[in-house]
């Protein structure tokens, strides 16, 4: 049965997907803008196109399946999902306003889990009985592993490229890498769309199950992927310029060669984690990749003060989102 709260949850999920797009646009376009391969407007249109292109080629939704199972079904209600989404949108907007490249993925997961845990407490159950710890521990592990994998891949790719091109004329090499950066940026945008849109698909799928519109075990309704890829692409088109500046130039200076390396490493990491259904942070991954290319020059090429501040934002995102969602669910419970 379609109810006002169901409509509100679906709308908020797509609004979150939109904020995910403009919050995380920097992941896809920061390096290509900072190297002046594309203008900001061209870059967001390029990234948005590849965000949406995933819809036509991806029919497996492993990441969505993982997200939909984070909270135990017994403790999932539309109010739980609503509280989680409001918390996630709120944290996304706060971090966007201050130009902090935090994880949209982790704020969504933290909000959903926090609201589920609070509902369990209201029902007299142990807090952690509301979440499936195997999924949570895997997500927590990849807060560390995703940027490290991106860093190592970017470092290795950069070293290999430098070795191959050591006899090339600098002007010729730069011209070629500017062309190649279009390819690497497209690959990263494609991976970003495939990874991040699926998290909202998981939330919408569990919403349909909770509202008894979709039966357990049924395939995902076709409108969900279409709506999610559309929302994230529109969000990317809106851009997130404060975060673009942080990602594109403040962590370390990026050349077209290094842009190709960072984007290639980020895309490979996201394709790997998506294959195994692990909902990692695109932000964490590309940040690690940018640090990796910076380290090929020298340790001091990376602005470690800023990097440490970014890492702190990563650490607090899940718990703060969970606390906000818990407070919102408590408020909804008191009102209702």
């Amino acid at each position: 049965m379609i109810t006002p709260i169901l409509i509100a949850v679906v709308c908020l999920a797509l609004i979150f997907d939109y904020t995910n797009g403009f919050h995380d646009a920097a992941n896809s376009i920061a390096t290509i803008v900072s190297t002046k391969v594309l203008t900001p407007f061209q870059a967001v249109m390029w990234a948005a196109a590849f965000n949406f292109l995933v819809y036509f080629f991806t029919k497996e939704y492993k990441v969505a399946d993982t997200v939909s199972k984070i909270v135990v079904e017994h403790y999932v209600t539309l109010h739980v999902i609503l509280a989680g989404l409001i918390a996630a949108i709120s944290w996304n907007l706060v971090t966007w306003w201050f130009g902090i490249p935090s994880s949209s993925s982790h704020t969504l997961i933290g909000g959903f889990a926090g609201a589920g845990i609070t509902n369990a407490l209201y029902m007299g159950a142990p807090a952690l009985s509301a979440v499936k710890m195997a999924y949570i521990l895997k997500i927590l592990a990849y807060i560390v592993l995703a940027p490290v994998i991106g860093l190592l891949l970017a470092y290795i790719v950069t070293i290999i490229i430098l070795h191959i091109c050591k006899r090339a004329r600098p002007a010729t090499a730069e011209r070629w890498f500017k062309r190649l950066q279009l390819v690497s940026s497209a690959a990263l945008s494609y991976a970003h769309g495939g990874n991040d849109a699926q998290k909202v698909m998981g939330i919408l799928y569990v919403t349909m199950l909770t509202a008894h519109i979709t039966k357990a075990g049924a395939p995902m309704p076709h409108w969900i992927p279409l709506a999610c890829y559309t929302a994230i692409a529109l969000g990317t088109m809106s851009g997130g310029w404060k975060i673009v500046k942080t990602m594109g130039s403040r962590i370390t200076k990026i050349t077209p060669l290094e842009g190709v390396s960072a984007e290639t490493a980020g895309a490979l990491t996201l394709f790997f984690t998506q294959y195994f259904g692990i909902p990692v942070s695109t932000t964490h991954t590309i940040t690690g990749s940018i640090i990796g290319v910076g380290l090929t020059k020298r340790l001091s090429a990376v602005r470690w003060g800023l990097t440490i501040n970014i890492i702190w934002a990563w650490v607090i995102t899940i718990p703060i989102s969970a606390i906000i969602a818990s407070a919102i669910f408590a408020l909804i419970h008191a009102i209702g």
Side-chain angles (χ1 to χ4, degrees):
M1 180 179 176
I2 296 176
T3 61
I5 188 171
L6 174 62
I7 294 170
V9 168
V10 171
C11 290
L12 281 175
L14 295 177
I15 288 169
F16 172 81
D17 210 12
Y18 176 85
T19 67
N20 187 348
F22 80 70
H23 187 280
D24 288 6
N27 300 335
S28 303
I29 70 171
T31 57
I32 205 166
V33 171
S34 66
T35 55
K36 296 181 172 59
V37 172
L38 293 176
T39 66
F41 176 76
Q42 291 170 333
V44 293
M45 295 301 290
W46 182 256
F50 284 95
N51 278 173
F52 184 75
L53 194 62
V54 189
Y55 170 74
F56 299 102
F57 296 99
T58 300
K59 299 304 175 187
E60 282 190 316
Y61 306 114
K62 295 180 181 178
V63 173
D65 183 63
T66 298
V67 171
S68 70
K69 293 176 179 175
I70 287 171
V71 177
V72 176
E73 184 180 350
H74 180 65
Y75 301 109
V76 178
T77 66
L78 291 179
H79 287 142
V80 164
I81 302 169
L82 181 69
L85 286 169
I86 294 172
I89 292 169
S90 301
W91 186 243
N92 252 5
L93 293 175
V94 168
T95 52
W96 163 76
W97 180 258
F98 289 103
I100 303 168
S102 67
S103 169
S104 295
S105 306
H106 290 152
T107 191
L108 180 64
I109 290 165
F112 188 31
I117 287 170
T118 308
N119 191 31
L121 292 173
Y122 274 113
M123 295 172 70
L128 294 182
S129 66
V131 293
K132 296 183 180 178
M133 290 307 297
Y135 292 109
I136 296 294
L137 291 173
K138 185 187 293 186
I139 291 164
L140 292 176
Y142 273 84
I143 290 177
V144 177
L145 290 175
V148 169
I149 293 169
L151 185 154
L152 292 174
L153 282 175
Y155 186 90
I156 292 167
V157 170
T158 305
I159 295 298
I160 291 171
I161 291 174
L162 287 171
H163 181 73
I164 292 172
C165 300
K166 61 185 177 182
R167 290 188 175 85
R169 292 175 59 188
T172 303
E174 182 167 357
R175 187 165 60 251
W176 272 102
F177 281 113
K178 283 187 174 183
R179 294 170 182 170
L180 286 172
Q181 206 177 355
L182 290 172
V183 178
S184 61
S185 177
L188 182 61
S189 297
Y190 186 92
H192 170 233
N195 192 285
D196 281 31
Q198 281 200 41
K199 290 145 193 172
V200 179
M201 289 183 210
I203 294 295
L204 284 175
Y205 183 68
V206 79
T207 298
M208 295 299 107
L209 291 177
T210 305
H212 304 294
I213 291 175
T214 300
K215 294 182 179 179
M220 185 176 295
H222 294 301
W223 68 267
I224 292 180
L226 179 61
C228 288
Y229 286 125
T230 300
I232 199 169
L234 290 173
T236 298
M237 286 171 62
S238 302
W241 306 116
K242 294 181 181 182
I243 301 174
V244 169
K245 184 178 179 182
T246 299
M247 299 290 285
S249 60
R250 292 178 64 192
I251 295 175
T252 188
K253 295 294 183 182
I254 296 288
T255 65
L257 181 155
E258 292 158 351
V260 169
S261 299
E263 290 162 353
T264 301
L268 289 172
T269 305
L270 291 174
F271 286 136
F272 168 79
T273 53
Q274 186 179 332
Y275 179 79
F276 288 102
I278 304 167
V280 302
S281 166
T282 308
T283 305
H284 294 191
T285 303
I286 192 61
T287 301
S289 300
I290 291 171
I291 292 171
V293 299
L295 290 176
T296 62
K297 293 178 279 192
R298 60 188 183 281
L299 199 62
S300 61
V302 177
R303 294 186 175 93
W304 292 106
L306 174 66
T307 303
I308 290 169
N309 289 339
I310 291 171
I311 291 172
W312 272 114
W314 297 355
V315 171
I316 66 174
T317 288
I318 288 180
I320 283 187
S321 301
I323 291 168
I324 296 171
S326 177
I328 292 169
F329 181 81
L331 180 63
I332 292 171
H333 189 271
I335 293 172

Short mmCIF file of all heavy atoms in Angstrom, two decimals, residues 122-154:
data_model
loop_
_atom_site.label_atom_id
_atom_site.label_comp_id
_atom_site.label_asym_id
_atom_site.label_seq_id
_atom_site.Cartn_x
_atom_site.Cartn_y
_atom_site.Cartn_z
N TYR A 122 14.43 0.38 21.61
CA TYR A 122 13.04 0.64 21.96
C TYR A 122 12.23 -0.66 22.07
O TYR A 122 11.27 -0.74 22.86
CB TYR A 122 12.38 1.55 20.92
CG TYR A 122 12.59 3.02 21.17
CD1 TYR A 122 13.37 3.79 20.31
CD2 TYR A 122 12.02 3.65 22.27
CE1 TYR A 122 13.57 5.15 20.54
CE2 TYR A 122 12.21 5.00 22.51
CZ TYR A 122 12.99 5.75 21.63
OH TYR A 122 13.18 7.09 21.87
N MET A 123 12.64 -1.66 21.31
CA MET A 123 11.94 -2.95 21.34
C MET A 123 12.47 -3.86 22.45
O MET A 123 12.03 -5.01 22.58
CB MET A 123 12.07 -3.63 19.97
CG MET A 123 11.36 -2.88 18.85
SD MET A 123 11.70 -3.55 17.20
CE MET A 123 10.82 -5.11 17.26
N GLY A 124 13.45 -3.36 23.22
CA GLY A 124 13.99 -4.13 24.35
C GLY A 124 15.04 -5.14 23.96
O GLY A 124 15.37 -6.04 24.75
N ALA A 125 15.60 -5.01 22.76
CA ALA A 125 16.62 -5.94 22.29
C ALA A 125 18.02 -5.33 22.46
O ALA A 125 18.15 -4.11 22.55
CB ALA A 125 16.38 -6.28 20.82
N PRO A 126 19.06 -6.17 22.51
CA PRO A 126 20.43 -5.63 22.57
C PRO A 126 20.72 -4.77 21.33
O PRO A 126 20.26 -5.09 20.23
CB PRO A 126 21.31 -6.89 22.58
CG PRO A 126 20.41 -7.98 23.06
CD PRO A 126 19.04 -7.63 22.56
N ALA A 127 21.48 -3.71 21.52
CA ALA A 127 21.72 -2.75 20.43
C ALA A 127 22.28 -3.42 19.18
O ALA A 127 21.78 -3.23 18.07
CB ALA A 127 22.65 -1.64 20.92
N LEU A 128 23.33 -4.21 19.37
CA LEU A 128 24.03 -4.77 18.21
C LEU A 128 23.27 -5.91 17.54
O LEU A 128 23.67 -6.37 16.47
CB LEU A 128 25.44 -5.23 18.60
CG LEU A 128 26.39 -4.10 19.02
CD1 LEU A 128 27.78 -4.66 19.34
CD2 LEU A 128 26.50 -3.03 17.93
N SER A 129 22.17 -6.35 18.16
CA SER A 129 21.37 -7.39 17.51
C SER A 129 20.65 -6.85 16.28
O SER A 129 20.15 -7.61 15.46
CB SER A 129 20.34 -7.96 18.50
OG SER A 129 19.38 -6.96 18.85
N ALA A 130 20.61 -5.50 16.15
CA ALA A 130 19.90 -4.88 15.03
C ALA A 130 20.70 -4.89 13.75
O ALA A 130 20.14 -4.70 12.66
CB ALA A 130 19.53 -3.45 15.39
N VAL A 131 22.02 -5.07 13.84
CA VAL A 131 22.86 -5.00 12.64
C VAL A 131 23.60 -6.32 12.43
O VAL A 131 23.86 -7.06 13.38
CB VAL A 131 23.90 -3.84 12.74
CG1 VAL A 131 23.19 -2.50 12.73
CG2 VAL A 131 24.78 -3.98 13.96
N LYS A 132 23.89 -6.59 11.17
CA LYS A 132 24.64 -7.80 10.82
C LYS A 132 26.13 -7.43 10.84
O LYS A 132 26.63 -6.75 9.94
CB LYS A 132 24.21 -8.32 9.45
CG LYS A 132 22.75 -8.76 9.44
CD LYS A 132 22.33 -9.34 8.10
CE LYS A 132 20.86 -9.77 8.13
NZ LYS A 132 20.40 -10.29 6.83
N MET A 133 26.81 -7.87 11.90
CA MET A 133 28.18 -7.43 12.16
C MET A 133 29.15 -7.86 11.06
O MET A 133 30.15 -7.18 10.82
CB MET A 133 28.65 -7.95 13.50
CG MET A 133 27.97 -7.27 14.70
SD MET A 133 28.08 -5.46 14.65
CE MET A 133 29.86 -5.22 14.75
N ALA A 134 28.87 -8.95 10.37
CA ALA A 134 29.77 -9.38 9.30
C ALA A 134 29.85 -8.31 8.21
O ALA A 134 30.94 -8.00 7.69
CB ALA A 134 29.28 -10.70 8.70
N TYR A 135 28.71 -7.70 7.87
CA TYR A 135 28.69 -6.64 6.87
C TYR A 135 29.34 -5.36 7.42
O TYR A 135 30.11 -4.70 6.71
CB TYR A 135 27.24 -6.34 6.45
CG TYR A 135 26.59 -7.44 5.67
CD1 TYR A 135 25.57 -8.21 6.24
CD2 TYR A 135 26.96 -7.73 4.36
CE1 TYR A 135 24.96 -9.23 5.52
CE2 TYR A 135 26.35 -8.74 3.64
CZ TYR A 135 25.35 -9.49 4.23
OH TYR A 135 24.75 -10.50 3.50
N ILE A 136 29.03 -5.03 8.68
CA ILE A 136 29.58 -3.82 9.27
C ILE A 136 31.10 -3.90 9.36
O ILE A 136 31.82 -2.94 9.04
CB ILE A 136 28.98 -3.57 10.68
CG1 ILE A 136 27.48 -3.32 10.57
CG2 ILE A 136 29.68 -2.42 11.38
CD1 ILE A 136 27.09 -2.05 9.87
N LEU A 137 31.62 -5.04 9.80
CA LEU A 137 33.07 -5.20 9.94
C LEU A 137 33.78 -5.12 8.58
O LEU A 137 34.88 -4.57 8.48
CB LEU A 137 33.39 -6.53 10.63
CG LEU A 137 32.99 -6.61 12.11
CD1 LEU A 137 33.21 -8.03 12.65
CD2 LEU A 137 33.79 -5.60 12.94
N LYS A 138 33.14 -5.68 7.55
CA LYS A 138 33.72 -5.60 6.21
C LYS A 138 33.79 -4.14 5.74
O LYS A 138 34.81 -3.70 5.20
CB LYS A 138 32.88 -6.42 5.22
CG LYS A 138 33.46 -6.49 3.80
CD LYS A 138 32.49 -7.17 2.85
CE LYS A 138 32.29 -8.62 3.16
NZ LYS A 138 31.46 -9.29 2.13
N ILE A 139 32.72 -3.38 5.99
CA ILE A 139 32.69 -1.96 5.62
C ILE A 139 33.75 -1.18 6.38
O ILE A 139 34.48 -0.35 5.81
CB ILE A 139 31.28 -1.38 5.87
CG1 ILE A 139 30.28 -1.98 4.87
CG2 ILE A 139 31.30 0.16 5.74
CD1 ILE A 139 28.84 -1.78 5.25
N LEU A 140 33.86 -1.44 7.70
CA LEU A 140 34.86 -0.76 8.52
C LEU A 140 36.28 -1.08 8.05
O LEU A 140 37.15 -0.20 8.02
CB LEU A 140 34.69 -1.15 9.99
CG LEU A 140 33.41 -0.65 10.67
CD1 LEU A 140 33.33 -1.19 12.10
CD2 LEU A 140 33.38 0.88 10.69
N ALA A 141 36.51 -2.34 7.68
CA ALA A 141 37.84 -2.73 7.20
C ALA A 141 38.23 -1.97 5.95
O ALA A 141 39.37 -1.52 5.79
CB ALA A 141 37.88 -4.24 6.94
N TYR A 142 37.25 -1.75 5.06
CA TYR A 142 37.55 -1.08 3.80
C TYR A 142 37.62 0.43 3.91
O TYR A 142 38.03 1.10 2.96
CB TYR A 142 36.58 -1.53 2.70
CG TYR A 142 37.08 -2.78 2.01
CD1 TYR A 142 36.83 -4.03 2.55
CD2 TYR A 142 37.86 -2.70 0.86
CE1 TYR A 142 37.32 -5.19 1.94
CE2 TYR A 142 38.35 -3.84 0.25
CZ TYR A 142 38.08 -5.08 0.80
OH TYR A 142 38.58 -6.21 0.19
N ILE A 143 37.28 0.98 5.08
CA ILE A 143 37.59 2.39 5.33
C ILE A 143 39.11 2.58 5.27
O ILE A 143 39.62 3.60 4.79
CB ILE A 143 37.05 2.84 6.70
CG1 ILE A 143 35.53 2.92 6.67
CG2 ILE A 143 37.63 4.20 7.11
CD1 ILE A 143 34.91 3.29 8.00
N VAL A 144 39.84 1.57 5.74
CA VAL A 144 41.31 1.59 5.68
C VAL A 144 41.81 1.02 4.36
O VAL A 144 42.68 1.60 3.70
CB VAL A 144 41.90 0.79 6.86
CG1 VAL A 144 43.43 0.74 6.76
CG2 VAL A 144 41.47 1.40 8.19
N LEU A 145 41.26 -0.12 3.96
CA LEU A 145 41.80 -0.85 2.81
C LEU A 145 41.59 -0.13 1.48
O LEU A 145 42.49 -0.13 0.63
CB LEU A 145 41.18 -2.25 2.73
CG LEU A 145 41.61 -3.23 3.82
CD1 LEU A 145 40.84 -4.54 3.71
CD2 LEU A 145 43.12 -3.49 3.74
N ALA A 146 40.42 0.48 1.27
CA ALA A 146 40.15 1.12 -0.03
C ALA A 146 41.15 2.22 -0.35
O ALA A 146 41.74 2.23 -1.45
CB ALA A 146 38.72 1.66 -0.08
N PRO A 147 41.41 3.19 0.55
CA PRO A 147 42.42 4.20 0.21
C PRO A 147 43.83 3.65 0.11
O PRO A 147 44.63 4.13 -0.70
CB PRO A 147 42.31 5.22 1.36
CG PRO A 147 41.63 4.52 2.46
CD PRO A 147 40.73 3.51 1.82
N VAL A 148 44.14 2.62 0.90
CA VAL A 148 45.48 2.02 0.82
C VAL A 148 45.67 1.31 -0.52
O VAL A 148 46.72 1.44 -1.16
CB VAL A 148 45.71 1.03 1.99
CG1 VAL A 148 46.97 0.20 1.77
CG2 VAL A 148 45.81 1.79 3.30
N ILE A 149 44.64 0.58 -0.97
CA ILE A 149 44.71 -0.07 -2.28
C ILE A 149 44.86 0.98 -3.37
O ILE A 149 45.69 0.84 -4.29
CB ILE A 149 43.47 -0.95 -2.53
CG1 ILE A 149 43.44 -2.14 -1.56
CG2 ILE A 149 43.44 -1.46 -3.98
CD1 ILE A 149 42.12 -2.90 -1.57
N GLY A 150 44.04 2.04 -3.29
CA GLY A 150 44.14 3.13 -4.28
C GLY A 150 45.52 3.76 -4.27
O GLY A 150 46.10 4.04 -5.33
N LEU A 151 46.06 4.00 -3.07
CA LEU A 151 47.41 4.60 -2.94
C LEU A 151 48.47 3.72 -3.60
O LEU A 151 49.29 4.20 -4.39
CB LEU A 151 47.72 4.82 -1.46
CG LEU A 151 49.02 5.55 -1.08
CD1 LEU A 151 48.86 6.22 0.28
CD2 LEU A 151 50.21 4.58 -1.02
N LEU A 152 48.45 2.44 -3.26
CA LEU A 152 49.48 1.52 -3.79
C LEU A 152 49.37 1.38 -5.31
O LEU A 152 50.39 1.41 -6.02
CB LEU A 152 49.35 0.16 -3.13
CG LEU A 152 49.71 0.10 -1.63
CD1 LEU A 152 49.40 -1.28 -1.06
CD2 LEU A 152 51.17 0.44 -1.43
N LEU A 153 48.13 1.24 -5.81
CA LEU A 153 47.95 1.11 -7.26
C LEU A 153 48.41 2.38 -7.98
O LEU A 153 49.08 2.31 -9.02
CB LEU A 153 46.48 0.84 -7.59
CG LEU A 153 45.98 -0.58 -7.37
CD1 LEU A 153 44.48 -0.66 -7.64
CD2 LEU A 153 46.72 -1.57 -8.28
N ALA A 154 48.06 3.55 -7.43
CA ALA A 154 48.46 4.81 -8.06
C ALA A 154 49.97 4.97 -8.06
O ALA A 154 50.55 5.42 -9.06
CB ALA A 154 47.82 5.99 -7.31
#
